[in-house]
Amino acid sequence: MEPVIPDLRAVPRADAYARLLEMQALLLHDSTDAIAGMATLSAMLHHAFGHLWTGFYRVVERDRLLRVGPYQGSLGCQDIAFGRGVCGTAAAERRTVVVPDVHAFPGHIACDARSQSEIVVPVYDATGALMAVLDIDSPVLDAFGDDDVAGLERLVAWFTRTTYVPVPA
């Protein structure tokens, strides 16, 4: 039986991410399956923090196109071009992007009108190639800070043990 995902909304973020890192290590200790890792991490983060949308956009055309992958929450956009919106910007620039107010972000893609703030973290595989981005949307303005950046970057570092081969379009 798998452990229950704890509700960590009232826990200081640094402590919450430390607990999630332990849970991730327990659940995925023998795995190198990128999709299983994406599904597991999406569920952990979504339920621990009660986010609006939590999931991955996978690279399906190198430096060109992201496609929705495992996620939790409302429906996501199917495809996002590199350089477009928050996810495409994070992918193109290979950096974590924190957006305190999505309405102030030029070119924001509104997959869910309830989204107010967003964080997107690049995800790399064992070869160092960008394989995906982790996208989290919140219905609250300015929901993400430095502890989220550090915690999420530590969690997605797990993917450096995997090799992701996209399905040809």
Side-chain angles (χ1 to χ4, degrees):
M1 180 173 186
E2 300 298 338
V4 174
I5 300 169
D7 183 335
L8 300 173
R9 287 177 275 201
V11 175
R13 284 291 168 105
D15 296 338
Y17 283 112
R19 288 179 61 185
L20 290 174
L21 198 61
E22 290 174 4
M23 181 177 264
Q24 179 188 45
L26 172 71
L27 294 171
L28 298 173
H29 70 282
D30 287 334
S31 179
T32 58
D33 186 304
I35 301 299
M38 290 177 192
T40 300
L41 189 53
S42 294
M44 286 171 41
L45 290 166
H46 191 75
H47 294 286
F49 295 120
H51 295 307
L52 180 62
W53 198 93
T54 311
F56 291 84
Y57 282 93
R58 301 165 292 113
V59 174
V60 294
E61 291 181 33
R62 185 176 176 208
D63 296 328
R64 292 196 54 218
L65 186 66
L66 300 166
R67 181 160 296 138
V68 71
Y71 69 92
Q72 301 275 318
S74 57
L75 293 173
C77 300
Q78 292 299 299
D79 291 335
I80 298 175
F82 272 57
R84 187 164 175 254
V86 183
C87 289
T89 298
E93 296 179 7
R94 308 298 203 267
R95 67 178 178 90
T96 298
V97 177
V98 178
V99 180
D101 179 354
V102 296
H103 305 294
F105 188 88
H108 174 256
I109 302 168
C111 295
D112 188 322
R114 297 173 295 170
S115 180
Q116 297 296 313
S117 62
E118 187 170 359
I119 186 170
V120 180
V121 182
V123 180
Y124 300 96
D125 72 7
T127 70
L130 180 72
M131 64 185 288
V133 295
L134 169 62
D135 178 25
I136 304 176
D137 291 22
S138 173
V140 176
L141 287 169
D142 202 17
F144 305 105
D146 293 341
D147 286 337
D148 296 290
V149 172
L152 292 170
E153 288 178 350
R154 286 179 60 206
L155 285 165
V156 301
W158 176 87
F159 290 93
T160 61
R161 68 168 42 183
T162 70
T163 301
Y164 171 71
V165 179
V167 177

